[in-house]
């Protein structure tokens, strides 16, 4: 298991009720599943629309089960932004 930080932005921050929290997971999928369990309701819906950065790298279309998390790493949860 790796320990790190999940950072929530915009609507994800509002839905989670906090700006960041720790993760204890091997993959992005495990970290997000744990976040869904801790914050049932709106965050579950928001996460369906989010994009993710892991240690600054975009996850893109990669399966979350294949994205390994590093010890001391950071997962950024980015909801869609309006404007452009």
């Amino acid at each position: 298991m790796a320990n790190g930080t999940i950072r929530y932005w915009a609507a994800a921050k509002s839905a989670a009720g906090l700006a960041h929290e720790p993760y204890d997971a091997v993959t992005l999928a495990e970290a997000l599943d744990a976040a869904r369990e801790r914050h049932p309701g709106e965050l579950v819906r928001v996460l369906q629309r989010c994009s993710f950065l892991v240690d600054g790298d975009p996850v893109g279309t990669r399966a979350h089960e294949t994205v390994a998390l590093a010890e001391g790493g950071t997962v950024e949860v980015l909801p869609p932004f309006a404007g452009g």
Side-chain angles (χ1 to χ4, degrees), residues 5 9 11 16-17 20-21 24 29 31 46 49-50 54-55 63 68 73 75 83-84:
T5 303
W9 297 97
H20 56 85
E21 66 182 341
D24 183 18
V46 170
R49 302 183 316 267
C50 288
V54 174
D55 297 330
V75 174

Side-chain angles (χ1 to χ4, degrees), residues 36-58:
R36 288 180 189 99
E37 288 178 19
R38 286 189 301 272
H39 309 285
E42 186 61 23
L43 183 63
V44 173
R45 290 183 284 282
V46 170
L47 288 176
Q48 293 173 346
R49 302 183 316 267
C50 288
S51 57
F52 305 93
L53 298 177
V54 174
D55 297 330
D57 294 324

